[in-house]
Amino acid sequence: MLRCDKVAGGRRPAARLAIAVLLTLVTVAGCTSDGDDGGSVPTPPAKDIQGYTGPDVQGAGHPIGLKWDWSTLDRYLPFVKDLTGGATFYEFEWCQVEPRQGQLDWGVVDRVVRSSQRLGYELMLKIRLGSCWATGGRRGEERGDKRKTVSAMPQDLDAYEGFVRTVVERYQPLGVRQYAIENEVNARNFWDGRPEQYEQLARAGARAVHDADPKAEVLDSGIASPIYGAAIAERLLTQGREDEAIAAYQRYYARRGGQYDRVGTAAELRSVLARDLVRRGLGYLAATQRLAKEKAFDVYQLHFYEPWDNAPALLEYLHATLPSTMPIEGWEVGMFQHGAFEQQSEDQQVRAGEAAKVVSLLLAGGIRRVVWLPVAAPHDAKELRFGLVDAGGGVRPAGEVVKRLASAAEGATLRALTSGGTSGVAFGRGKQTVLVLWSEQGATVPGTARSDAKASTLSGASVQWGDAGLRLGSEPFLVSVPLTLDEAARLVR
């Protein structure tokens, strides 16, 4: 496991801390909606959502996907094509498809499904209820400029199951095999209900999906990224590991700015964890874990936007609290920065390194797929979530790195590399293996006499690797060796 440093900073009063945490969990828990790029680009009306109309794109399968805004796809279409063979998802509401009872319009979803297929992406659908006649006639509060409504329990659960079955029967012939029930139900701007109501809805939705397509996979809503920090810290507290709990809390929220103040003592941390809104979020996480243990759904959905060095603790938490046979997929993975990311060129190289580390660690930790959100930076808003493409359509260094990882992962067997202070992942295909390697403490990979063994920086610059070995630091290197996966792993050890 990687070494994780504590976050520095002065102590703040527990009351101020609690208020900050409560405000944050209310305002930033939700991450995405249909057609958005991390919440920064307004979702257009249905009639303006366009599909892909170019020639079909083909690509070999790999575990790295993208989430993009269909209304601005032309701006970064070449980059999306470069990662063909991955996956994407689309979120829609029952209340959008059927705004008036008996009047269904599938036009928008149809275009997205067909266009994703033509782009060579596997499409996953996220089915939300929204608020309308189906929830008792109450329209519900719209989610700002995203033209979405907060989901509520349906008045007729049988009718809900019927709608879900119709969705699956419609899109199963077009290759859709995965369906998520709702989105981030621990966020008030996505779900207006109680944890036990979500459990009831999730069971009904999963039952309907499996009735329509027994081979389909059902996922939970995906718990919003911020609550995992509280969950990890609480678990460490219950184990008597107070100092580790404080450090984990500080590290997890390091990029959330003034929204999260420093916790200096275990008492302050317990005070935060006892607050009503934190308990609400942890309650939804517990409800999702109960559903997983009873196998109400098939795959656990992960959302993660925090600094990369939280990935080991998060993976440890997930593997400790979920059934060992439960697959995990990262439908929303990226970087969040309170106040917006910097745009300097040197900062772009730092972000490239972080992208390489977070994607590598999640894949090496058993996460079955990683979907980056968002693809592109916004035109006219603060960049709270980091895009792989800039506002003008240029591919950033982080985008180039993600492309290289996708290429390395095509048809490959993955293996985690954590030995002697070295971290990373290996992608093996026959007698050729590509490794992503780094060491926070500094480590050396033994020298190799093979002239066809190569090492480079993330930007593609060659790195000397002679008899003295390859010296690793915090910047990840890409290493290609003409060895099987087992042989390459032994080389690193």
Side-chain angles (χ1 to χ4, degrees), residues 466-479:
D467 294 337
L470 177 65
R471 183 64 180 171
L472 300 176
S474 60
E475 178 189 3
F477 287 162
L478 296 177
V479 178

Side-chain angles (χ1 to χ4, degrees), residues 167-178:
V167 171
V168 179
E169 290 166 355
R170 186 179 189 87
Y171 297 117
Q172 185 271 342
L174 293 178
V176 180
R177 293 292 183 273
Q178 288 188 309

